[in-house]
Structure formats: C-alpha cells, structure tokens
Amino acid sequence: MSATGASPIFDRGRVPGDSLPAGEWSSVAEDTSRYVGEDAAGNAYWAVRSADDAVCIVYVPVEESNRSLLCGGPGLTGTTPDDRIMQFASSPTALTRSETELVGGTLLERAEK
C-alpha cells in the first residue's frame, strides 16, 4: 500500500495530463490530482486530495452532467448519481477484481444499471 494509505497513484510525480477538468473543485487541492483513466464506457476518473488531506475520487461521466466527488480514506467506496460503484483497488473492502472493471490500474468500478 502507498504511503498515502489509499492508492499508489500518489507515489508517482504529477504530469500535465493529471490536471482536473475545468469546473468547481474548491473542496480539493487541485495540485494533488492524478489522472486515473477511462472506463470502457468512456467515463473519466482522477484521484485527488481534499483540502483537509482526505483522499478523493473525481468522476466525470461522458455527458458531464453527473460529476461526482467522493472523499474518505482507505477502503473509500462510493456510488455515483448514475449508479457506478467505485473503490481504490489498493484497499478494496466492497468490490472484488472479478466483478469489476479495473480503471488505470488504480480504481475498481462496477456499473449497477
């Protein structure tokens, strides 16, 4: 497990492609964001730290109308407005790799619809 306690993605240096998409992200430290990748449906994911140093997942669906920000710590699990369950792969408690899609080697994701 990473020193951050949630995901090894924070162990690598930040690159220009790690920037969050334009929008209102006042509750996170944008300079900590790391681009995770896209799932098979084309939805995009970032890992980022909150202003109070919690670990968060930013979810931006293809249509961008139901963006989500989920914050917590190791074992963080959350459901997006369009019923996708997400969790860091490095500390899963609710999802398993056999029932999910692994996004960017960092997140487990499963659509509930």
Side-chain angles (χ1 to χ4, degrees), residues 34-45:
R34 304 291 192 279
Y35 179 69
V36 173
E38 290 185 359
D39 63 22
N43 303 303
Y45 300 84

Side-chain angles (χ1 to χ4, degrees), residues 24-47:
E24 179 56 43
W25 305 109
S26 61
S27 62
V28 300
E30 290 190 48
D31 62 340
T32 67
S33 64
R34 304 291 192 279
Y35 179 69
V36 173
E38 290 185 359
D39 63 22
N43 303 303
Y45 300 84
W46 283 260

Side-chain angles (χ1 to χ4, degrees), residues 84-108:
R84 293 180 181 279
I85 298 174
M86 303 175 295
Q87 185 169 56
F88 283 108
S90 60
S91 54
T93 57
L95 299 174
T96 65
R97 289 186 188 216
S98 64
E99 66 183 4
T100 60
E101 179 180 349
L102 181 62
V103 179
T106 300
L107 294 176
L108 298 174

Side-chain angles (χ1 to χ4, degrees), residues 21-22 43 59-68:
N43 303 303
Y59 168 70
V60 179
V62 173
E63 72 282 346
E64 294 200 25
S65 62
N66 287 319
R67 293 177 170 200
S68 296

Side-chain angles (χ1 to χ4, degrees), residues 50-71:
S50 70
D52 63 356
D53 208 34
V55 178
C56 305
I57 301 169
V58 171
Y59 168 70
V60 179
V62 173
E63 72 282 346
E64 294 200 25
S65 62
N66 287 319
R67 293 177 170 200
S68 296
L69 175 67
L70 306 165
C71 297

